[in-house]
Amino acid sequence: MIRVGVIGYGYWGPNIVRNFSSTKGVEVISVCDRDSAALGRCKIAYPYLKVFSDAHDITTAKDVDIVAIVTPVFTHYRLAKNALKNGKHIFVEKPFTLKSKEAEELIELADKKKLKIMIDHTFLFTGAVRKIKELIDDNVLGDIYYYDSTRINLGLFQHDVNVIWDLAPHDLSIMDYCIREKPVAISAIGAGHFSNKLENIAYIVAHFKNNMIAHFNINWLSPVKVRTTLIGGEKKMLVWNDLETDEKIKVYDKGVKIKNKEGIYELLVEYRSGDMWSPRIDHTEALKVETEYFIDCILNHKTPINDGRAGLRIVEMLEAADKSLKQNGNLVRL
Amino acid sequence: MIRVGVIGYGYWGPNIVRNFSSTKGVEVISVCDRDSAALGRCKIAYPYLKVFSDAHDITTAKDVDIVAIVTPVFTHYRLAKNALKNGKHIFVEKPFTLKSKEAEELIELADKKKLKIMIDHTFLFTGAVRKIKELIDDNVLGDIYYYDSTRINLGLFQHDVNVIWDLAPHDLSIMDYCIREKPVAISAIGAGHFSNKLENIAYIVAHFKNNMIAHFNINWLSPVKVRTTLIGGEKKMLVWNDLETDEKIKVYDKGVKIKNKEGIYELLVEYRSGDMWSPRIDHTEALKVETEYFIDCILNHKTPINDGRAGLRIVEMLEAADKSLKQNGNLVRL
Amino acid sequence: MIRVGVIGYGYWGPNIVRNFSSTKGVEVISVCDRDSAALGRCKIAYPYLKVFSDAHDITTAKDVDIVAIVTPVFTHYRLAKNALKNGKHIFVEKPFTLKSKEAEELIELADKKKLKIMIDHTFLFTGAVRKIKELIDDNVLGDIYYYDSTRINLGLFQHDVNVIWDLAPHDLSIMDYCIREKPVAISAIGAGHFSNKLENIAYIVAHFKNNMIAHFNINWLSPVKVRTTLIGGEKKMLVWNDLETDEKIKVYDKGVKIKNKEGIYELLVEYRSGDMWSPRIDHTEALKVETEYFIDCILNHKTPINDGRAGLRIVEMLEAADKSLKQNGNLVRL
Amino acid sequence: MIRVGVIGYGYWGPNIVRNFSSTKGVEVISVCDRDSAALGRCKIAYPYLKVFSDAHDITTAKDVDIVAIVTPVFTHYRLAKNALKNGKHIFVEKPFTLKSKEAEELIELADKKKLKIMIDHTFLFTGAVRKIKELIDDNVLGDIYYYDSTRINLGLFQHDVNVIWDLAPHDLSIMDYCIREKPVAISAIGAGHFSNKLENIAYIVAHFKNNMIAHFNINWLSPVKVRTTLIGGEKKMLVWNDLETDEKIKVYDKGVKIKNKEGIYELLVEYRSGDMWSPRIDHTEALKVETEYFIDCILNHKTPINDGRAGLRIVEMLEAADKSLKQNGNLVRL
């Protein structure tokens, strides 16, 4: 039996507790939160759990194998370090850390102690993203031309981070997972409209060596909710609308072939416009798939797709985006 | 009776001929195209018109008061100059010219000769854009926070200009018309995926003095057609979906108020989420409204909203976007 | 403290327990189900509840004030009667009973014993239906011309009742609540495509004295989910799309005025096509509103809008629909 | 060269003239309309055509091979008879005639004189309907369970016919074409809300020998436009949304299998929920395909799919629907 201690029982923590609890061979043993009201809710839902107000009681507990860190990002490094030092595997809320150096240090520490790190990039375990990964790996889309993502709504304004650190980890981690090539540079532009100075709207571009380009439109101040990603491939194009219940992914047999001839007026463009196909998507709860996979990685010595290094790559992109943001969109090399 | 000569009878020319023809007090008198097939179609549709293959026969014709220039952009300057020199008002397809200097010279020439220039920013005359302008002018939206436009589809690849010069004039002119403040800088990033090296996907940002930001997502290589603009205002937010038949504009009584308190955890955010309202839109053909308005401007000595200066502002933004594109998104001051 | 005993802990029962539990002044005290697996789930979620496998232990319990009956319809009459006899208020899943005579008997019994009956027509307590009721009561729509409802999806085939008894209670009760006039006759047509002979698709029409007409399209065998109701009024028309997250109700300022003149060709039709307006909808969980309202009705001697008589009207319409169905659509008077 | 004379140049007539004109081997030679304004528009568009105000000048003209009758339905019989008597093939606007007896007489007359009749059921020639026909013929959908069509909007109120005669011919002819089995009975219910007493809303059901059922929701008084048809098949289900630009047809790999076991609680339902597929649709103008097909039928002695007998079947269904309507939905045998 693998035993889990969970730090943080706010918005997301209950889902972590519920999913680890229902995973075979796993037992959630203790929960910690500084907020006594949160602990109260936990006690009602799980009367048999130990509850603490000090994270130390979990990171150092003898009866804990995995520490799940479900707290604001600025606390991740310290809590993760304590847990690793005490020989615990860690499951860390995204984004991994505030600074790439911190992430690097944690990765090194985990490697040394032969412990697993999993960053909770939950979206990677949705049926939709797994299907997109499969379609790209199977070369159904062909070479990728562009990746264009929009994640906007009237969102919960965070008090400590801007919209980039809140929303972009989702999309950056999805792109990182699905697209083999890695970006060489990042640029970002944004604006904040309120007294807290934090950007509530931003546009990020990831630049690649080949002509591929990725773009992320993120916005906490949209009257409508949009969760759409377009992936333009040489052979097929894909639209993922995560707000659709049933037809989340549509694959279009559409494209263009250009044959340059001599004169400027001789451009020959062939348009292809064929069928559309919407593959069935698995609807299993993503977090359920993820927690089971983490246990599998620990028991069978596998490296998670969303390990510390994956988490680090996202933090590096976020850092670069933040830096570019402050320079009005200057290209920041990765 | 005001007499119009039309240069160019390709894709858009027939609409120009049809709309000027049906405008009271106006007569289309001659049409010119280098392509004899185009002229053939014109003769069948309008047997009574004079047709020419040399634009000179229109720019210098004694019986022509307005020259409508409906040709590729690289020909605009030369044709417009000839027409103005010969004392003709000009109605020029968008974008006005390839270079801002050319536009400036044409404006000066027209001023000297007391002739009118109208740039065919047709969208300004749609019911939707007129309604948006009205809502902003009446301060229904309040201060504008952002303007976010998407215009993508599997588009006609142009042989001589990239996607910016093809699609952005629409959205830049709409923004220029609706938003009082003018951008102080432009940045743009794009990519071309075919042998002709022209960008087929691009993202443009217009920067403003206050914290306002405008963003334009344009793409010739999208499997789906999207024509959506979000305008986030302090008091109301607006979504314009031009592909809707009946409910093109939706005005949302949604917003956020942030009251900073002392500690970082004390951020107080008030969300407002009220009714949505979709105002009735006038459905008169935009080009019809525009041609009638041009005649009115000429007869009554009014300055068109889409005069040479408006056209010049768009060309300046396009030039800046192109320049930024070549510098990987560096800010280009206007 | 009002004490509730719940009979039935299958699909819907847990929601009943959860909502009564979180209602102020109410305590859920016992739960009964014949299925031990269901009871097991109940014990995990609510370890402090008494659980029984025999409904008798609830209908006759001294410590129970309200019996909630959340079981298949064919059991309602017997359980409700036992509960009423033992002096309990009853909260009964829809539809009330299988036969109108049974419902009448229960109403009489409750009246005699001064007990309350509430039929769980949950939809009446959604923000959307409450808003529609308000718009009709305030005469915003004017006289109603028609009510047209579609409720289709790839639905759960019931083993004991056809699609009418499963889906129509929702829409019939909504219509019954919102529209003041009562239908005078019902007709219905349907078809069953499987060996169990139960209709899986049906169309019901409710006929009214004035020219109003109501139509219900219900289908367990649709590849797409649709939950849409159109209400055509003299002054305004309303579309309720319950699958929309944010804009469930749209009110259209559209209509027609016809002025007959003499000859057949002289018909004068005036079309009105104005703004659309989507009022904000309260998102409180309907069942929460309903359970609180039931307590309020009991404590303050109010008659619930969804009392036994309301439940009876729905059963009468279902009976009539079933009878018409078997007669190929013959009109059945109510 | 086949020569066409067109009677009626109102709303639809110009499309008939334009499409016959552009068909190879066909010449439109004359047009007739009682309204001089309509004739004026015709003269401007087609200066070389002969125009008449008396239909006699077309039905008896020596230089006419086909008479296209594009007039209100009550005139069809008389005009068609005159044309056939004078040896002309006829192309008749839908619905064929007001009475089935008239249609039968015309068919007999045409047979005797070896002339072709085509009823303008234009929808049969759209890419969407041709694709649906193909999918059903190829048994992609399997046995058909139901056909459910909705055609509603704020429509043009006709002065001489109710909504059934105006809208249902579209859907009845599409069903008649796509579904091999023929209905054995019709029932219909409707309501009229204006002083002219004509029904503006109606629901038609077509009953089949096997358990198939077809339903038609037609409405001139809807605030929103809907043009959707669901076809539920044993193997696949199809949704045709004619208002979609690109994805008009969606084929769902969804379904249900029911295996009855002994007890009522033993019902075993297997749900199948697989991919969705949207086949590419040909976008050629339907009327163009239809007029070319008519010429082909005449030249090559083929019987049109939309011949007089097809037109008659639709008239018989309309008559039955009208009769049922007046009897409050009684089943009318065909």
Side-chain angles (χ1 to χ4, degrees):
Chain A
M1 190 64 83
I2 295 183
R3 295 154 308 175
V4 181
V6 177
I7 306 174
Y9 198 81
Y11 166 69
W12 194 240
N15 293 324
I16 300 291
V17 173
R18 176 171 53 80
N19 276 287
F20 271 120
S21 294
S22 65
T23 299
K24 222 185 122 181
V26 180
E27 192 181 3
V28 174
I29 210 148
S30 51
V31 167
C32 157
D33 202 296
R34 301 198 303 189
D35 177 13
S36 58
L39 280 192
R41 285 192 298 273
C42 181
K43 268 186 232 168
I44 288 171
Y46 304 95
Y48 47 85
L49 291 189
K50 298 187 217 169
V51 294
F52 301 109
S53 60
D54 187 344
H56 205 71
D57 291 326
I58 290 197
T59 53
T60 62
K62 290 205 177 139
D63 58 0
V64 163
D65 304 304
I66 296 173
V67 174
I69 299 167
V70 200
T71 54
V73 59
F74 70 90
T75 67
H76 288 183
Y77 167 68
R78 184 177 50 81
L79 295 169
K81 196 169 167 181
N82 285 348
L84 289 171
K85 272 188 177 168
N86 286 287
K88 320 298 187 200
H89 304 288
I90 55 172
F91 180 92
V92 188
E93 204 37 53
K94 58 94 204 160
F96 189 7
T97 57
L98 266 180
K99 295 180 183 170
S100 52
K101 280 201 175 170
E102 299 169 345
E104 286 165 0
E105 188 187 330
L106 295 172
I107 291 167
E108 201 180 344
L109 183 54
D111 282 353
K112 204 185 301 172
K113 307 203 82 171
K114 299 204 184 303
L115 293 166
K116 297 285 177 202
I117 299 176
M118 177 169 278
I119 311 307
D120 182 17
H121 294 308
T122 323
F123 264 106
L124 308 194
F125 299 90
T126 57
V129 172
R130 286 183 286 145
K131 178 58 76 178
I132 293 171
K133 171 73 169 161
E134 179 192 319
L135 291 169
I136 292 178
D137 282 357
D138 293 354
N139 204 29
V140 172
L141 303 193
D143 287 349
I144 306 301
Y145 291 147
Y146 66 85
Y147 183 102
D148 188 330
S149 157
T150 303
R151 183 176 297 273
I152 66 179
N153 71 324
L154 195 64
L156 286 178
F157 278 64
Q158 303 290 313
H159 44 72
D160 56 342
V161 294
N162 64 17
V163 72
I164 284 185
W165 287 82
D166 181 42
L167 296 184
H170 293 306
D171 299 301
L172 292 173
S173 66
I174 294 165
M175 178 192 72
D176 178 70
Y177 175 55
C178 292
I179 307 283
R180 199 185 318 266
E181 288 77 26
K182 298 302 162 207
V184 295
I186 296 283
S187 51
I189 285 172
H193 299 100
F194 300 97
S195 51
N196 64 347
K197 303 288 177 201
L198 291 172
E199 287 82 4
N200 47 261
I201 180 170
Y203 304 96
I204 306 175
V205 179
H207 305 251
F208 291 75
K209 252 185 212 160
N210 52 18
N211 253 353
M212 207 199 113
I213 187 170
H215 184 267
F216 305 88
N217 179 340
I218 50 183
N219 187 347
W220 274 338
L221 204 65
S222 164
V224 286
K225 188 173 182 175
V226 182
R227 298 266 182 281
T228 301
T229 299
L230 277 73
I231 306 180
E234 179 202 6
K235 293 163 69 177
K236 292 270 193 311
M237 302 191 193
L238 182 153
V239 177
W240 167 33
N241 183 348
D242 205 45
L243 301 184
E244 288 274 344
T245 311
D246 281 325
E247 304 165 21
K248 286 182 185 293
I249 292 181
K250 293 180 177 177
V251 181
Y252 292 85
D253 184 17
K254 287 193 178 181
V256 169
K257 253 190 199 151
I258 293 194
K259 297 175 182 167
N260 246 32
K261 295 218 276 182
E262 282 145 58
I264 194 170
Y265 277 105
E266 309 298 325
L267 188 79
L268 211 74
V269 189
E270 273 175 30
Y271 298 91
R272 191 181 73 254
S273 188
D275 292 1
M276 180 270 277
W277 165 66
S278 179
R280 194 187 162 278
I281 300 296
D282 178 28
H283 283 88
T284 316
E285 187 179 359
L287 195 49
K288 175 83 183 158
V289 179
E290 189 182 13
T291 52
E292 290 183 352
Y293 171 66
F294 191 33
I295 301 309
D296 178 47
C297 287
I298 289 171
L299 294 180
N300 300 302
H301 310 291
K302 296 177 183 171
T303 302
I305 55 170
N306 51 334
D307 67 349
R309 281 171 181 83
L312 169 61
R313 287 196 299 275
I314 308 313
V315 172
E316 286 171 339
M317 288 191 254
L318 294 169
E319 279 182 329
D322 237 5
K323 192 172 166 192
S324 177
L325 203 66
K326 277 159 192 63
Q327 302 174 359
N328 268 319
N330 273 355
L331 213 66
V332 175
R333 299 272 155 201
L334 287 173
Chain B
M1 189 63 84
I2 294 183
R3 295 155 307 175
V4 181
V6 177
I7 305 174
Y9 198 80
Y11 167 67
W12 193 241
N15 294 323
I16 300 291
V17 173
R18 176 171 53 81
N19 277 285
F20 271 120
S21 294
S22 66
T23 300
K24 222 184 122 181
V26 180
E27 191 182 1
V28 175
I29 210 150
S30 51
V31 167
C32 156
D33 202 297
R34 298 199 305 189
D35 176 13
S36 57
L39 281 192
R41 286 191 298 275
C42 182
K43 269 185 231 168
I44 288 172
Y46 303 96
Y48 47 85
L49 291 188
K50 296 187 219 171
V51 294
F52 302 109
S53 61
D54 187 345
H56 204 72
D57 292 326
I58 290 196
T59 53
T60 63
K62 291 204 176 138
D63 58 359
V64 163
D65 304 305
I66 297 173
V67 173
I69 298 167
V70 200
T71 55
V73 59
F74 70 88
T75 67
H76 288 183
Y77 167 67
R78 183 178 51 81
L79 294 170
K81 194 169 168 182
N82 285 348
L84 291 170
K85 272 187 180 170
N86 286 287
K88 321 297 186 199
H89 305 289
I90 57 171
F91 181 92
V92 187
E93 204 36 53
K94 59 93 203 160
F96 188 6
T97 56
L98 267 181
K99 296 180 182 172
S100 52
K101 281 201 176 171
E102 296 169 347
E104 286 166 0
E105 188 187 331
L106 295 173
I107 292 167
E108 199 180 344
L109 182 55
D111 282 354
K112 204 184 303 174
K113 306 202 83 171
K114 301 205 181 306
L115 294 165
K116 297 287 178 202
I117 298 176
M118 176 170 278
I119 311 306
D120 182 17
H121 294 308
T122 323
F123 264 106
L124 308 193
F125 299 90
T126 58
V129 172
R130 285 182 286 146
K131 178 58 74 176
I132 293 172
K133 170 73 171 162
E134 180 191 318
L135 291 168
I136 292 179
D137 282 356
D138 293 354
N139 204 28
V140 171
L141 303 193
D143 287 348
I144 305 301
Y145 290 148
Y146 66 86
Y147 183 103
D148 189 330
S149 158
T150 303
R151 183 177 298 272
I152 66 178
N153 71 325
L154 194 63
L156 286 176
F157 278 64
Q158 303 290 313
H159 45 71
D160 56 343
V161 294
N162 64 16
V163 71
I164 286 186
W165 286 83
D166 182 43
L167 296 184
H170 293 306
D171 300 300
L172 293 173
S173 65
I174 295 166
M175 178 192 73
D176 178 71
Y177 176 56
C178 292
I179 307 285
R180 198 184 320 265
E181 287 78 25
K182 297 304 160 204
V184 295
I186 296 283
S187 51
I189 285 172
H193 299 100
F194 300 96
S195 50
N196 64 347
K197 304 288 176 200
L198 292 173
E199 288 82 4
N200 48 258
I201 181 170
Y203 304 96
I204 306 175
V205 177
H207 307 251
F208 291 75
K209 251 185 213 161
N210 51 21
N211 252 353
M212 205 200 114
I213 187 170
H215 183 268
F216 305 87
N217 179 340
I218 51 182
N219 186 347
W220 275 337
L221 203 65
S222 163
V224 286
K225 188 173 181 175
V226 181
R227 299 265 180 281
T228 301
T229 299
L230 278 73
I231 305 180
E234 180 202 7
K235 293 163 69 176
K236 293 271 191 309
M237 302 190 195
L238 181 152
V239 177
W240 167 33
N241 182 348
D242 205 45
L243 301 185
E244 288 273 345
T245 310
D246 280 326
E247 302 165 21
K248 286 182 185 293
I249 292 180
K250 294 180 176 176
V251 181
Y252 293 85
D253 183 17
K254 289 194 175 177
V256 168
K257 254 190 199 152
I258 294 194
K259 296 175 183 169
N260 247 33
K261 295 218 277 184
E262 280 143 62
I264 194 170
Y265 278 106
E266 308 297 327
L267 186 79
L268 211 74
V269 189
E270 274 174 30
Y271 297 92
R272 189 180 75 253
S273 188
D275 293 0
M276 180 271 277
W277 164 67
S278 180
R280 193 187 162 278
I281 301 297
D282 178 27
H283 282 91
T284 315
E285 186 180 359
L287 194 50
K288 176 82 184 160
V289 178
E290 189 182 15
T291 52
E292 289 182 353
Y293 171 64
F294 190 33
I295 301 308
D296 178 47
C297 287
I298 289 171
L299 294 180
N300 300 303
H301 310 291
K302 296 177 183 170
T303 300
I305 54 169
N306 52 334
D307 67 349
R309 281 170 180 83
L312 170 60
R313 289 195 298 273
I314 307 314
V315 173
E316 286 170 341
M317 288 191 253
L318 293 170
E319 279 182 329
D322 238 4
K323 194 174 166 188
S324 177
L325 202 68
K326 276 157 192 63
Q327 301 175 359
N328 269 320
N330 272 357
L331 214 66
V332 174
R333 299 269 156 203
L334 287 172
Chain C
M1 189 65 82
I2 295 183
R3 296 154 306 173
V4 180
V6 176
I7 305 174
Y9 198 79
Y11 166 69
W12 194 239
N15 294 323
I16 300 291
V17 174
R18 176 171 52 80
N19 276 286
F20 271 119
S21 294
S22 66
T23 299
K24 222 184 121 181
V26 179
E27 191 182 3
V28 174
I29 210 149
S30 51
V31 167
C32 157
D33 202 297
R34 299 198 304 188
D35 176 16
S36 58
L39 280 191
R41 285 192 299 275
C42 181
K43 269 186 231 167
I44 288 172
Y46 303 95
Y48 47 86
L49 291 189
K50 298 187 218 170
V51 294
F52 302 107
S53 61
D54 186 345
H56 204 72
D57 291 325
I58 290 199
T59 52
T60 62
K62 290 205 177 139
D63 57 0
V64 162
D65 303 305
I66 296 174
V67 174
I69 299 166
V70 200
T71 54
V73 59
F74 70 90
T75 67
H76 289 184
Y77 167 68
R78 184 179 49 84
L79 295 170
K81 194 169 166 182
N82 285 346
L84 289 170
K85 273 186 178 170
N86 286 287
K88 320 299 186 199
H89 304 288
I90 55 172
F91 181 92
V92 187
E93 203 38 52
K94 58 94 202 159
F96 188 8
T97 56
L98 267 181
K99 297 179 182 169
S100 51
K101 280 199 176 171
E102 299 168 346
E104 285 165 1
E105 187 188 332
L106 296 172
I107 291 167
E108 201 180 344
L109 182 55
D111 282 355
K112 206 184 302 174
K113 305 201 84 170
K114 299 204 185 304
L115 294 165
K116 297 286 177 200
I117 299 176
M118 177 170 278
I119 312 306
D120 182 16
H121 295 307
T122 324
F123 264 105
L124 308 194
F125 299 89
T126 58
V129 173
R130 286 182 287 145
K131 179 57 76 176
I132 292 171
K133 170 74 169 161
E134 181 192 319
L135 291 169
I136 292 178
D137 282 357
D138 293 354
N139 204 28
V140 171
L141 303 193
D143 287 350
I144 305 302
Y145 290 147
Y146 66 86
Y147 182 102
D148 188 332
S149 158
T150 304
R151 182 175 299 271
I152 65 177
N153 72 324
L154 195 63
L156 286 177
F157 278 64
Q158 303 290 312
H159 45 72
D160 56 342
V161 293
N162 64 16
V163 71
I164 285 185
W165 286 82
D166 181 43
L167 297 184
H170 293 306
D171 300 300
L172 292 174
S173 66
I174 295 166
M175 179 192 72
D176 178 70
Y177 175 54
C178 292
I179 307 284
R180 197 185 320 265
E181 286 78 25
K182 298 303 162 205
V184 294
I186 295 283
S187 51
I189 286 172
H193 298 101
F194 301 98
S195 51
N196 64 346
K197 304 288 178 201
L198 292 173
E199 287 82 5
N200 47 260
I201 180 169
Y203 304 96
I204 305 175
V205 177
H207 306 251
F208 291 75
K209 251 186 212 160
N210 53 19
N211 253 351
M212 207 200 114
I213 186 169
H215 183 267
F216 305 87
N217 179 340
I218 51 182
N219 186 346
W220 275 338
L221 202 65
S222 164
V224 288
K225 189 173 181 174
V226 180
R227 298 266 182 279
T228 301
T229 299
L230 277 73
I231 305 179
E234 179 202 6
K235 292 164 70 177
K236 292 270 194 308
M237 300 190 195
L238 181 152
V239 178
W240 166 33
N241 182 348
D242 204 46
L243 301 185
E244 287 274 343
T245 312
D246 281 325
E247 303 164 22
K248 285 183 187 294
I249 292 181
K250 294 180 177 177
V251 182
Y252 293 85
D253 184 16
K254 287 193 178 179
V256 169
K257 252 189 200 154
I258 293 194
K259 296 174 184 169
N260 248 33
K261 295 219 276 183
E262 282 147 58
I264 194 169
Y265 278 106
E266 307 298 325
L267 187 80
L268 211 74
V269 189
E270 273 175 31
Y271 297 92
R272 189 181 75 252
S273 187
D275 293 2
M276 181 269 278
W277 163 66
S278 179
R280 193 186 163 279
I281 301 297
D282 178 27
H283 283 91
T284 315
E285 186 179 359
L287 194 49
K288 176 84 183 158
V289 179
E290 189 182 13
T291 52
E292 289 182 353
Y293 171 66
F294 190 33
I295 302 309
D296 179 47
C297 287
I298 289 170
L299 294 179
N300 299 302
H301 310 292
K302 296 176 183 171
T303 302
I305 54 170
N306 51 335
D307 67 350
R309 282 172 180 82
L312 168 61
R313 286 196 300 275
I314 307 313
V315 172
E316 286 170 339
M317 287 191 254
L318 294 169
E319 279 182 328
D322 238 4
K323 192 173 167 190
S324 178
L325 203 66
K326 277 158 191 65
Q327 302 174 358
N328 268 318
N330 272 356
L331 213 66
V332 175
R333 298 273 154 200
L334 288 173
Chain D
M1 189 64 83
I2 294 183
R3 294 153 307 172
V4 180
V6 177
I7 305 175
Y9 198 81
Y11 167 67
W12 193 240
N15 294 323
I16 300 291
V17 173
R18 176 170 54 79
N19 277 285
F20 271 120
S21 293
S22 67
T23 299
K24 220 183 123 183
V26 179
E27 191 181 2
V28 174
I29 210 148
S30 51
V31 167
C32 156
D33 203 296
R34 299 198 308 189
D35 177 13
S36 58
L39 281 191
R41 286 192 299 274
C42 182
K43 270 186 230 168
I44 287 171
Y46 303 95
Y48 47 84
L49 292 188
K50 297 186 220 170
V51 295
F52 301 108
S53 60
D54 186 343
H56 203 71
D57 292 325
I58 290 197
T59 52
T60 62
K62 292 204 175 141
D63 57 0
V64 164
D65 303 306
I66 297 173
V67 173
I69 299 168
V70 200
T71 54
V73 58
F74 70 88
T75 67
H76 288 184
Y77 166 68
R78 185 178 48 82
L79 294 169
K81 194 169 168 182
N82 285 347
L84 289 169
K85 272 186 180 171
N86 286 286
K88 320 299 186 198
H89 304 288
I90 56 172
F91 181 92
V92 187
E93 204 36 54
K94 58 94 205 160
F96 188 9
T97 56
L98 267 181
K99 296 180 182 170
S100 52
K101 280 199 177 173
E102 297 169 347
E104 286 165 0
E105 187 187 332
L106 295 172
I107 292 167
E108 198 180 345
L109 182 56
D111 282 354
K112 204 185 302 174
K113 307 203 83 173
K114 301 205 181 305
L115 293 166
K116 298 285 177 202
I117 298 176
M118 176 170 277
I119 311 307
D120 183 18
H121 294 307
T122 322
F123 264 106
L124 308 193
F125 299 90
T126 58
V129 172
R130 285 182 287 145
K131 178 60 74 179
I132 293 171
K133 169 74 171 163
E134 180 192 318
L135 291 168
I136 292 179
D137 282 356
D138 293 355
N139 204 27
V140 172
L141 304 193
D143 286 349
I144 305 302
Y145 290 147
Y146 66 85
Y147 183 102
D148 189 331
S149 157
T150 304
R151 182 177 299 273
I152 64 177
N153 72 324
L154 194 63
L156 286 177
F157 278 63
Q158 303 290 313
H159 44 72
D160 56 343
V161 294
N162 65 18
V163 71
I164 285 186
W165 286 82
D166 182 41
L167 296 184
H170 294 306
D171 299 301
L172 292 174
S173 64
I174 295 166
M175 178 192 72
D176 177 71
Y177 175 57
C178 293
I179 307 284
R180 199 185 317 266
E181 287 76 26
K182 298 303 160 203
V184 295
I186 295 284
S187 52
I189 285 171
H193 299 101
F194 300 96
S195 51
N196 64 347
K197 303 288 177 200
L198 292 173
E199 288 82 4
N200 46 259
I201 181 170
Y203 304 95
I204 306 175
V205 178
H207 305 252
F208 290 76
K209 253 185 211 162
N210 51 20
N211 253 352
M212 206 200 114
I213 187 170
H215 184 268
F216 305 87
N217 179 338
I218 51 182
N219 186 346
W220 276 336
L221 204 64
S222 164
V224 287
K225 189 175 180 175
V226 180
R227 299 264 181 279
T228 301
T229 299
L230 278 74
I231 306 180
E234 179 202 7
K235 294 163 69 176
K236 294 270 191 309
M237 299 191 196
L238 182 153
V239 178
W240 166 33
N241 182 347
D242 204 45
L243 301 184
E244 288 274 344
T245 310
D246 281 326
E247 304 164 21
K248 286 182 185 293
I249 293 181
K250 294 180 176 175
V251 181
Y252 292 85
D253 184 17
K254 289 194 176 178
V256 168
K257 255 193 199 151
I258 293 194
K259 297 175 184 168
N260 246 32
K261 296 218 276 182
E262 280 144 62
I264 195 170
Y265 277 105
E266 308 298 326
L267 186 79
L268 210 75
V269 189
E270 275 174 30
Y271 296 91
R272 189 180 75 252
S273 188
D275 294 1
M276 181 270 277
W277 163 66
S278 180
R280 191 185 165 278
I281 300 296
D282 178 28
H283 282 89
T284 315
E285 186 179 0
L287 194 48
K288 176 82 183 160
V289 178
E290 189 182 14
T291 53
E292 289 182 353
Y293 171 65
F294 191 32
I295 301 308
D296 178 47
C297 287
I298 289 172
L299 294 180
N300 300 303
H301 310 290
K302 297 177 181 169
T303 301
I305 55 170
N306 53 333
D307 67 349
R309 281 171 180 81
L312 168 61
R313 288 195 299 273
I314 308 315
V315 172
E316 286 170 340
M317 288 191 253
L318 294 169
E319 279 182 329
D322 237 5
K323 193 173 166 190
S324 178
L325 203 66
K326 275 158 192 65
Q327 303 175 357
N328 269 318
N330 273 357
L331 212 67
V332 174
R333 299 271 156 201
L334 287 173

